[in-house]
Short mmCIF file of all heavy atoms in Angstrom, two decimals:
data_model
loop_
_atom_site.label_atom_id
_atom_site.label_comp_id
_atom_site.label_asym_id
_atom_site.label_seq_id
_atom_site.Cartn_x
_atom_site.Cartn_y
_atom_site.Cartn_z
N GLU A 1 -8.00 6.82 -4.06
CA GLU A 1 -8.86 6.29 -3.07
C GLU A 1 -8.23 5.82 -1.89
O GLU A 1 -8.68 5.98 -0.70
CB GLU A 1 -9.66 5.00 -3.67
CG GLU A 1 -10.90 4.60 -2.78
CD GLU A 1 -11.79 3.71 -3.47
OE1 GLU A 1 -11.80 3.55 -4.76
OE2 GLU A 1 -12.62 2.96 -2.86
N ILE A 2 -6.93 5.24 -1.96
CA ILE A 2 -6.22 4.89 -0.86
C ILE A 2 -5.86 6.16 0.00
O ILE A 2 -6.00 6.32 1.14
CB ILE A 2 -4.88 4.15 -1.27
CG1 ILE A 2 -5.25 2.75 -1.82
CG2 ILE A 2 -3.92 4.05 -0.05
CD1 ILE A 2 -4.07 2.08 -2.44
N LYS A 3 -5.29 7.15 -0.76
CA LYS A 3 -4.63 8.40 -0.13
C LYS A 3 -5.73 9.27 0.56
O LYS A 3 -5.48 9.95 1.54
CB LYS A 3 -4.00 9.23 -1.01
CG LYS A 3 -2.62 8.59 -1.55
CD LYS A 3 -1.72 9.47 -2.40
CE LYS A 3 -0.39 8.92 -2.65
NZ LYS A 3 0.44 9.78 -3.50
N ASN A 4 -7.04 9.09 0.15
CA ASN A 4 -8.15 9.97 0.69
C ASN A 4 -8.99 9.08 1.64
O ASN A 4 -10.13 9.64 2.02
CB ASN A 4 -8.91 10.48 -0.37
CG ASN A 4 -8.12 11.59 -1.21
OD1 ASN A 4 -7.72 12.58 -0.66
ND2 ASN A 4 -7.86 11.25 -2.58
N MET A 5 -8.66 7.88 1.95
CA MET A 5 -9.51 7.00 2.77
C MET A 5 -9.53 7.52 4.22
O MET A 5 -8.56 7.63 4.89
CB MET A 5 -9.01 5.56 2.72
CG MET A 5 -10.00 4.58 3.33
SD MET A 5 -9.27 2.87 3.44
CE MET A 5 -9.09 2.51 1.68
N PRO A 6 -10.72 7.96 4.79
CA PRO A 6 -10.84 8.55 6.14
C PRO A 6 -10.52 7.43 7.16
O PRO A 6 -10.80 6.21 6.85
CB PRO A 6 -12.21 8.96 6.22
CG PRO A 6 -12.93 8.27 5.11
CD PRO A 6 -12.05 7.95 4.13
N ASN A 7 -9.88 7.88 8.31
CA ASN A 7 -9.53 6.85 9.43
C ASN A 7 -8.42 5.92 9.00
O ASN A 7 -7.90 5.35 9.99
CB ASN A 7 -10.76 6.06 9.84
CG ASN A 7 -11.91 6.83 10.21
OD1 ASN A 7 -11.72 7.87 11.04
ND2 ASN A 7 -13.12 6.40 9.91
N TYR A 8 -7.99 5.99 7.85
CA TYR A 8 -6.85 5.04 7.52
C TYR A 8 -5.72 5.76 6.89
O TYR A 8 -4.52 5.64 7.38
CB TYR A 8 -7.34 3.98 6.51
CG TYR A 8 -8.22 2.88 7.12
CD1 TYR A 8 -9.59 3.06 7.25
CD2 TYR A 8 -7.65 1.75 7.56
CE1 TYR A 8 -10.32 2.15 7.76
CE2 TYR A 8 -8.45 0.76 8.05
CZ TYR A 8 -9.77 0.84 8.33
OH TYR A 8 -10.61 -0.01 8.86
N PHE A 9 -5.85 6.62 5.80
CA PHE A 9 -4.81 7.14 5.13
C PHE A 9 -4.77 8.75 4.93
O PHE A 9 -3.75 9.32 4.66
CB PHE A 9 -4.54 6.65 3.75
CG PHE A 9 -4.34 5.03 3.87
CD1 PHE A 9 -5.32 4.17 3.58
CD2 PHE A 9 -3.01 4.61 4.07
CE1 PHE A 9 -5.14 2.79 3.66
CE2 PHE A 9 -2.87 3.25 4.13
CZ PHE A 9 -3.85 2.29 3.90
N ALA A 10 -5.98 9.34 5.12
CA ALA A 10 -6.15 10.69 4.69
C ALA A 10 -5.34 11.66 5.55
O ALA A 10 -5.01 12.74 4.96
CB ALA A 10 -7.67 11.10 4.89
N ASP A 11 -5.01 11.31 6.66
CA ASP A 11 -4.24 12.23 7.60
C ASP A 11 -2.70 11.92 7.58
O ASP A 11 -1.98 12.53 8.46
CB ASP A 11 -4.74 12.11 9.08
CG ASP A 11 -6.23 12.58 9.18
OD1 ASP A 11 -6.63 13.45 8.40
OD2 ASP A 11 -6.94 11.98 10.01
N TYR A 12 -2.28 11.05 6.70
CA TYR A 12 -0.85 10.71 6.64
C TYR A 12 -0.21 11.04 5.29
O TYR A 12 -0.88 11.13 4.33
CB TYR A 12 -0.69 9.21 6.95
CG TYR A 12 -1.19 8.82 8.24
CD1 TYR A 12 -2.57 8.48 8.40
CD2 TYR A 12 -0.43 8.69 9.42
CE1 TYR A 12 -3.14 8.05 9.61
CE2 TYR A 12 -0.90 8.22 10.52
CZ TYR A 12 -2.28 7.95 10.66
OH TYR A 12 -2.72 7.51 11.89
N ASP A 13 1.07 11.25 5.29
CA ASP A 13 1.77 11.26 4.00
C ASP A 13 1.91 9.73 3.57
O ASP A 13 2.51 8.96 4.28
CB ASP A 13 3.21 11.85 4.18
CG ASP A 13 3.16 13.40 4.37
OD1 ASP A 13 2.21 13.92 3.90
OD2 ASP A 13 4.16 13.86 5.03
N THR A 14 1.26 9.47 2.38
CA THR A 14 1.21 8.02 2.06
C THR A 14 1.79 7.85 0.62
O THR A 14 1.45 8.61 -0.28
CB THR A 14 -0.37 7.67 1.97
OG1 THR A 14 -0.91 7.80 3.28
CG2 THR A 14 -0.56 6.24 1.55
N THR A 15 2.58 6.85 0.50
CA THR A 15 3.09 6.47 -0.80
C THR A 15 2.61 5.11 -1.24
O THR A 15 2.39 4.28 -0.50
CB THR A 15 4.64 6.31 -0.67
OG1 THR A 15 5.23 7.49 -0.13
CG2 THR A 15 5.32 6.05 -2.05
N VAL A 16 2.17 5.15 -2.53
CA VAL A 16 1.63 3.91 -3.08
C VAL A 16 2.49 3.39 -4.19
O VAL A 16 2.86 4.16 -5.16
CB VAL A 16 0.26 4.13 -3.62
CG1 VAL A 16 -0.44 2.98 -4.28
CG2 VAL A 16 -0.82 4.69 -2.54
N HIS A 17 2.98 2.08 -4.11
CA HIS A 17 3.73 1.34 -5.14
C HIS A 17 2.89 0.24 -5.81
O HIS A 17 2.27 -0.56 -4.96
CB HIS A 17 4.94 0.77 -4.59
CG HIS A 17 5.81 1.72 -3.71
ND1 HIS A 17 6.71 2.58 -4.37
CD2 HIS A 17 5.94 1.88 -2.33
CE1 HIS A 17 7.40 3.24 -3.27
NE2 HIS A 17 6.77 2.89 -2.10
N PHE A 18 2.82 0.27 -7.06
CA PHE A 18 2.13 -0.84 -7.69
C PHE A 18 3.23 -1.84 -8.18
O PHE A 18 4.15 -1.48 -8.91
CB PHE A 18 1.37 -0.33 -8.97
CG PHE A 18 0.07 0.50 -8.60
CD1 PHE A 18 0.11 1.80 -8.52
CD2 PHE A 18 -1.07 -0.15 -8.17
CE1 PHE A 18 -0.91 2.60 -8.12
CE2 PHE A 18 -2.24 0.54 -7.83
CZ PHE A 18 -2.08 1.87 -7.67
N ILE A 19 2.97 -3.07 -7.78
CA ILE A 19 4.06 -4.04 -8.03
C ILE A 19 3.42 -5.27 -8.54
O ILE A 19 2.09 -5.44 -8.44
CB ILE A 19 4.91 -4.38 -6.75
CG1 ILE A 19 3.98 -4.93 -5.66
CG2 ILE A 19 5.63 -3.24 -6.27
CD1 ILE A 19 4.69 -5.41 -4.41
N SER A 20 4.06 -6.43 -8.99
CA SER A 20 3.53 -7.56 -9.39
C SER A 20 3.26 -8.52 -8.25
O SER A 20 3.71 -8.28 -7.14
CB SER A 20 4.48 -8.31 -10.37
OG SER A 20 5.61 -8.72 -9.56
N GLU A 21 2.30 -9.43 -8.62
CA GLU A 21 1.93 -10.44 -7.41
C GLU A 21 3.23 -11.23 -7.16
O GLU A 21 3.36 -11.51 -5.89
CB GLU A 21 0.91 -11.35 -8.00
CG GLU A 21 0.32 -12.18 -6.94
CD GLU A 21 -1.00 -12.97 -7.43
OE1 GLU A 21 -1.16 -12.98 -8.76
OE2 GLU A 21 -1.75 -13.46 -6.62
N GLU A 22 4.12 -11.52 -7.95
CA GLU A 22 5.32 -12.28 -7.72
C GLU A 22 6.20 -11.54 -6.76
O GLU A 22 6.70 -12.04 -5.75
CB GLU A 22 6.04 -12.57 -8.98
CG GLU A 22 5.41 -13.63 -9.92
CD GLU A 22 4.22 -12.96 -10.63
OE1 GLU A 22 4.08 -11.74 -10.78
OE2 GLU A 22 3.40 -13.76 -11.13
N GLU A 23 6.34 -10.29 -6.91
CA GLU A 23 7.12 -9.35 -6.06
C GLU A 23 6.50 -9.24 -4.71
O GLU A 23 7.21 -9.28 -3.56
CB GLU A 23 7.37 -7.99 -6.68
CG GLU A 23 8.28 -7.09 -5.88
CD GLU A 23 8.49 -5.71 -6.47
OE1 GLU A 23 8.15 -5.59 -7.67
OE2 GLU A 23 9.12 -4.83 -5.84
N LEU A 24 5.23 -9.19 -4.65
CA LEU A 24 4.51 -9.09 -3.31
C LEU A 24 4.82 -10.30 -2.51
O LEU A 24 5.12 -10.26 -1.28
CB LEU A 24 3.11 -8.88 -3.51
CG LEU A 24 2.27 -8.58 -2.27
CD1 LEU A 24 2.40 -7.00 -1.77
CD2 LEU A 24 0.78 -8.89 -2.40
N LEU A 25 4.69 -11.51 -3.21
CA LEU A 25 4.97 -12.74 -2.42
C LEU A 25 6.34 -12.86 -2.05
O LEU A 25 6.64 -13.43 -1.00
CB LEU A 25 4.49 -13.97 -3.30
CG LEU A 25 3.02 -14.05 -3.61
CD1 LEU A 25 2.66 -15.13 -4.74
CD2 LEU A 25 2.19 -14.44 -2.31
N LYS A 26 7.25 -12.42 -2.86
CA LYS A 26 8.65 -12.61 -2.65
C LYS A 26 9.18 -11.72 -1.53
O LYS A 26 9.88 -11.99 -0.60
CB LYS A 26 9.46 -12.46 -3.85
CG LYS A 26 10.93 -12.62 -3.74
CD LYS A 26 11.74 -12.37 -5.00
CE LYS A 26 13.22 -12.52 -4.73
NZ LYS A 26 13.98 -12.27 -6.05
N GLU A 27 8.70 -10.38 -1.59
CA GLU A 27 9.28 -9.37 -0.76
C GLU A 27 8.43 -8.94 0.45
O GLU A 27 8.90 -8.32 1.42
CB GLU A 27 9.63 -8.10 -1.61
CG GLU A 27 10.53 -8.24 -2.69
CD GLU A 27 12.00 -8.69 -2.32
OE1 GLU A 27 12.21 -8.28 -1.18
OE2 GLU A 27 12.70 -9.32 -3.10
N HIS A 28 7.18 -9.27 0.41
CA HIS A 28 6.17 -8.73 1.43
C HIS A 28 5.27 -9.79 1.94
O HIS A 28 4.18 -9.60 2.38
CB HIS A 28 5.43 -7.61 0.83
CG HIS A 28 6.21 -6.64 0.22
ND1 HIS A 28 6.90 -5.62 0.98
CD2 HIS A 28 6.49 -6.27 -1.10
CE1 HIS A 28 7.49 -4.83 0.12
NE2 HIS A 28 7.35 -5.17 -1.01
N SER A 29 5.80 -11.14 2.13
CA SER A 29 4.93 -12.17 2.51
C SER A 29 4.86 -12.31 4.05
O SER A 29 4.03 -12.86 4.69
CB SER A 29 5.37 -13.56 1.96
OG SER A 29 6.71 -13.84 2.36
N GLU A 30 5.90 -11.73 4.74
CA GLU A 30 5.96 -11.74 6.21
C GLU A 30 5.14 -10.63 6.81
O GLU A 30 4.78 -9.68 6.11
CB GLU A 30 7.40 -11.60 6.65
CG GLU A 30 8.35 -12.71 6.19
CD GLU A 30 7.98 -14.08 6.76
OE1 GLU A 30 7.52 -14.13 7.95
OE2 GLU A 30 8.04 -15.04 6.05
#
């Protein structure tokens, strides 16, 4: 659904990583 979303991702090379909530808060809070 992410990779095929029009106007957002469909026209790009898109990589999706599934991570834990703890990792998101630690590494991607900014």
Side-chain angles (χ1 to χ4, degrees):
E1 193 167 341
I2 292 171
K3 290 184 174 182
N4 293 297
M5 190 183 298
N7 301 318
Y8 285 87
F9 299 100
D11 296 327
Y12 300 85
D13 288 333
T14 301
T15 304
V16 179
H17 308 278
F18 288 96
I19 61 176
S20 68
E21 190 170 16
E22 291 74 21
E23 185 177 349
L24 188 79
L25 291 171
K26 181 180 178 181
E27 302 293 338
H28 306 284
S29 59
E30 299 298 321

